[in-house]
Amino acid sequence: VDALTTDRRIPEERRDLYLIASRTGLRPIEIRRINPNRDIVQTEPGVFVLRLPASAQKSRRADTLPLPQEVEAWLRTGAYACLSDWGWRNLAETLRCDLAAVGIEQHDSLGRRRTFYSLRGYFGAQLLDHGVPIHVAQRLMRHSKPETTLKWYSRPSDRAMREAIEGIC
C-alpha cells in the first residue's frame, strides 16, 4: 500500500483514492458517491464522520463511518473525484498499471491476485492484526455479522505469527 500511495509516478487523484480505500475499507462505489459537503459531518470538535446513504451501501442501509483526520482532508479536497469515468469503470486495469509502475507483482506471495478490493482487505486485516475487538472491526467494515469479518479478513500476517512464536519461546 505504501508504494501505491507515495510514488509520484502515480497521479495524485489515484494515490488519494488508494489512501482512502486502505484507511477506511470503503468500496469503490461508496467512494464514488461521496459528496463531502453533504456526507461529512462534524459530531464534536475535531471528530468527523462520513454518512453513507443506503443507496451507496451493499447492505442497502444507511450507516456512518468515523474518519481519521487525514482521510477527512483527502475527501474534502476531492482530488480522487477527478478520476475519469474510464478510471472508475476500469479500476482493475488502472490498479494493474499502477502496480506495474511501482514494481509490485500482480499476485501476492500466496498467489492471490491484487485488486482494488485488496485495499479493503488490507484495512480489515490491519484492524484485526492490531487487536481491534471483533465487534468494532465488524462495525468499521460494515458487516452484519462478526463471522463475515473473521471469515474474510482474519489472515494473520507473517509479523503477527512471528511475534506469537517469539512470545512463547
Side-chain angles (χ1 to χ4, degrees), residues 67-155:
L67 292 175
Q69 275 187 319
E70 62 205 9
V71 173
E72 184 261 336
W74 294 322
L75 287 170
R76 288 208 190 272
T77 60
Y80 69 93
C82 299
L83 192 63
S84 69
D85 280 340
W86 182 91
W88 282 108
R89 283 194 310 272
N90 298 291
L91 277 175
E93 179 66 14
T94 302
L95 180 64
R96 189 188 65 72
C97 292
D98 289 341
L99 288 170
V102 298
I104 298 174
E105 294 291 324
Q106 182 69 27
H107 292 84
D108 67 12
S109 61
L110 299 175
R112 297 175 300 205
R113 204 171 102 237
R114 289 188 170 103
T115 66
F116 190 86
Y117 226 75
S118 300
L119 299 170
R120 178 174 168 78
Y122 173 82
F123 175 71
Q126 288 293 303
L127 291 172
L128 297 176
D129 281 353
H130 285 86
V132 172
I134 187 60
H135 69 282
V136 175
Q138 169 199 351
R139 177 89 164 80
L140 290 170
M141 295 299 293
R142 295 169 323 283
H143 291 147
S144 58
K145 298 183 282 187
E147 293 81 16
T148 305
T149 307
L150 287 171
K151 177 181 178 183
W152 295 105
Y153 302 101
S154 65
R155 292 183 203 105

Side-chain angles (χ1 to χ4, degrees), residues 31-103:
I31 296 171
R32 188 164 189 197
R33 291 185 178 173
I34 293 171
N35 176 337
N37 297 324
R38 175 194 69 211
D39 299 331
I40 298 175
V41 180
Q42 186 170 4
T43 57
E44 54 188 84
V47 178
F48 293 90
V49 297
L50 177 63
R51 291 189 309 195
L52 298 162
S55 62
Q57 294 281 64
K58 184 177 174 183
S59 65
R60 295 292 176 221
R61 58 174 203 265
D63 207 347
T64 60
L65 181 67
L67 292 175
Q69 275 187 319
E70 62 205 9
V71 173
E72 184 261 336
W74 294 322
L75 287 170
R76 288 208 190 272
T77 60
Y80 69 93
C82 299
L83 192 63
S84 69
D85 280 340
W86 182 91
W88 282 108
R89 283 194 310 272
N90 298 291
L91 277 175
E93 179 66 14
T94 302
L95 180 64
R96 189 188 65 72
C97 292
D98 289 341
L99 288 170
V102 298

Side-chain angles (χ1 to χ4, degrees), residues 4-19 79-80 82-83 94 97-98 101-102:
L4 277 177
T5 57
T6 59
D7 197 297
R8 298 288 176 203
R9 290 174 286 188
I10 297 176
E12 180 183 9
E13 67 271 8
R14 294 204 307 261
R15 286 194 318 260
D16 285 356
L17 178 64
Y18 300 147
L19 281 164
Y80 69 93
C82 299
L83 192 63
T94 302
C97 292
D98 289 341
V102 298

